[in-house]
Amino acid sequence: MRYCINCCIHLLPNDLHRQCFRCRGPDHNNQKCPVCRGENKIPLYTDRKQMKWLAVLEVRTDHCGSWNGFFCLRKGKLCSLMFGLIIMTLVMVSYMLTGAKHGLLLIPSPFHYGAFASNPSLMDNESLSDMKDYYQPSKMNISYVRDYPSIKLIIDTITSKVEFITRQRPDLEELRKQEPHMSSVIPTKFLPNSKNPCWYEEYRGNTTTDPYATNSYALYSKRFRIIFDYLRKVFWNHLYHYKDKHYRLRCLPHFYIIGQPKCGTTDLYDRLRLHPDVRFSAIKEPHWWTRKRFGIIRLRDGFHDRYPVEDYLDLFDLAAHQIQTVLQSDAVKERGQRSNIIIGEASASTMWDNNAWIFFYDNSTEGEPPFLIQDFIHAFQPNAKLIIMLRDPVERLYSDYLYFASANKSAEDFHEKVAESLQLFEGCVLDFSLRACVYNNTLNNAMPVRLQVGLYVVYLLDWLTVFNKDQILVLRLEDHASNMKYTMHMVFQFLDLG
């Protein structure tokens, strides 16, 4: 306290308490008061017992406490005011810088993109590095600022060059020659008592052999390893024993959700999983047909060891175990019924991603891929069913941009990237066919946004040249969002589900 030490022990039930209050009176004199002068030692009592302390508590008399409090209050307010001014200054500076940056967008950029020189033989004779240089930006006519008339002119040019020419389907034997290992693993006929395409494969390992030891999916991800740890424990219990041999049930998907990205495929996948007769692969998007089969894990990381077809089939073992349980039941054995469980796979890259062809297949003279993903799926699964979910291409592109763009996301930045991609694509269609530009890996990697994914007509027509129309179900995200019950009914009817 500020008047004397007695106030610090005012809880004591003795005269010190009253003496302390007298020190506060108007007639008090600090020079005459023996307590204030410190002549008398005041003991500290706790519970009426005197205590000896080694430390001495000194409380000095301060007559200017009120003034110090006033100055402290003013100092606190001053600090708060200064802090607020600093924050306001920073906010204003940030807005000023942002405004200046936006203003720069109105200034023509020094980086312009124009048409490419015509060189049709480039894709046949030049190296990959030359191709990348070929699709680098050149100083030409248009800046990718908000120049809508110029962009409309680019779109009109692309539209005038859009012409779909039906491709020649490759021969079945030629496809099997391209994938001899796959041909040796996947049979031409499947079990008749299973709705899903399955077959029995002889297993030559013993009880100590780890069937998933070399699986590339298990080596790549910790989450996959957890799934395979469970499969490893129950693997031997699900082998079929016949004439001193062991067989394991192998399955491929009955249907594929093949695209497109950012079009609601995940929502469709989650809802289909709720059906009691539907199973999916151990992971949602294996990307095996388009990427892992060629050793692509991430496009930016280059190529790794190719994932064999056995690694892909391992992803369906969990569902295969359930199908096998049904096949071994009395209803199937005695009454001639069949298993109605079907397996799905939902890689959104299956419909459009043919970027790896240029590295593994001989180039055609027109710069078009000689083999597409659908050619191989049809060669090994001619009765497969395909589900496609589409969306307004502009909305899809913007959603794709928000998902993949790393930083500085804005409407202006999106506009710039789309304008640049459009002009790159225009330069390609001036020299090559529409299909050659859509499936051009180097061009697609050069474009800042995945513009080619929204060219639905090219992919749809290419899939329809391989599969029958009744094997493909095309949905729209807008319809699915407005009437989900109706679209799910269409899916169940398409897959022949109850």
Side-chain angles (χ1 to χ4, degrees), residues 2 62-76:
R2 299 183 182 279
D62 188 359
H63 296 283
C64 303
S66 58
W67 287 102
N68 285 343
F70 176 73
F71 284 119
C72 290
L73 183 61
R74 291 191 59 185
K75 185 177 181 180

Side-chain angles (χ1 to χ4, degrees), residues 79 82 142 181 287 355 429 439 454 473 481:
C79 292
M82 294 298 296
I142 292 180
H181 179 67
H287 296 296
N355 290 331
V429 296
Y439 295 130
L473 175 65

Side-chain angles (χ1 to χ4, degrees), residues 88-365:
M88 290 179 61
T89 303
L90 293 176
V91 172
M92 292 178 64
V93 169
S94 66
Y95 275 108
M96 293 173 63
L97 292 177
T98 305
K101 179 180 178 182
H102 292 172
L104 290 176
L105 297 178
L106 303 178
I107 303 175
S109 171
F111 302 100
H112 303 279
Y113 296 82
F116 303 112
S118 178
N119 190 0
S121 64
L122 180 65
M123 299 188 71
D124 300 320
N125 303 323
E126 299 298 330
S127 63
L128 178 62
S129 60
D130 295 333
M131 290 180 62
K132 291 182 178 180
D133 294 337
Y134 180 73
Y135 283 105
Q136 290 302 313
S138 58
K139 296 181 179 179
M140 284 295 290
N141 51 2
I142 292 180
S143 169
Y144 50 85
V145 297
R146 192 167 288 187
D147 190 351
Y148 292 107
S150 300
I151 294 177
K152 187 178 185 304
L153 181 62
I154 293 175
I155 296 175
D156 292 340
T157 304
I158 295 174
T159 305
S160 64
K161 295 293 181 180
V162 170
E163 181 183 4
F164 183 83
I165 301 176
T166 304
R167 60 186 289 265
Q168 185 69 30
R169 289 177 54 181
D171 183 67
L172 179 61
E173 293 301 321
E174 181 65 25
L175 291 169
R176 292 184 174 273
K177 289 179 181 179
Q178 293 292 332
E179 295 289 347
H181 179 67
M182 197 186 308
S183 302
S184 64
V185 174
I186 301 177
T188 56
K189 294 183 178 180
F190 304 112
L191 295 176
N193 56 351
S194 174
K195 184 179 178 180
N196 197 83
C198 298
W199 69 97
Y200 280 105
E201 174 187 273
E202 184 179 355
Y203 180 71
R204 294 181 174 84
N206 51 43
T207 55
T208 60
T209 304
D210 182 2
Y212 306 106
T214 60
N215 187 286
S216 301
Y217 285 99
L219 297 175
Y220 172 64
S221 171
K222 181 179 179 181
R223 186 168 68 89
F224 302 161
R225 287 197 295 270
I226 296 174
I227 296 174
F228 288 119
D229 285 342
Y230 169 77
L231 291 173
R232 192 178 294 109
K233 295 176 182 178
V234 301
F235 177 79
W236 192 258
N237 297 330
H238 287 87
L239 289 180
Y240 179 68
H241 308 282
Y242 181 74
K243 292 184 179 180
D244 297 330
K245 291 184 179 180
H246 305 293
Y247 297 87
R248 63 187 298 188
L249 189 67
R250 287 294 206 177
C251 296
L252 280 169
H254 173 73
F255 69 95
Y256 295 84
I257 301 176
I258 64 175
Q260 289 285 64
K262 316 311 295 179
C263 291
T265 56
T266 301
D267 183 80
L268 179 62
Y269 164 82
D270 289 334
R271 297 183 186 281
L272 272 173
R273 288 178 61 191
L274 301 177
H275 197 284
D277 289 338
V278 176
R279 305 292 185 274
F280 276 94
S281 53
I283 55 176
K284 176 182 177 288
E285 295 186 277
H287 296 296
W288 185 79
W289 290 98
T290 56
R291 299 170 186 173
K292 304 298 190 300
R293 182 164 61 100
F294 302 101
I296 301 174
I297 297 178
R298 297 183 181 88
L299 293 176
R300 64 176 181 270
D301 295 336
F303 292 94
H304 298 255
D305 294 335
R306 300 180 69 170
Y307 286 30
V309 65
E310 290 88 350
D311 292 1
Y312 179 61
L313 297 176
D314 287 345
L315 300 178
F316 308 105
D317 275 3
L318 193 62
H321 292 168
Q322 300 180 34
I323 293 177
Q324 184 180 2
T325 302
V326 177
L327 293 178
Q328 294 177 349
S329 64
D330 296 336
V332 175
K333 290 181 179 180
E334 299 176 1
R335 304 175 189 174
Q337 298 180 3
R338 68 171 185 168
S339 170
N340 290 320
I341 297 177
I342 60 174
I343 305 175
E345 199 251 72
S347 298
S349 64
T350 306
M351 179 177 176
W352 64 273
D353 192 352
N354 285 276
N355 290 331
W357 73 268
I358 195 172
F359 302 103
F360 294 93
Y361 304 128
D362 294 333
N363 299 345
S364 62
T365 56

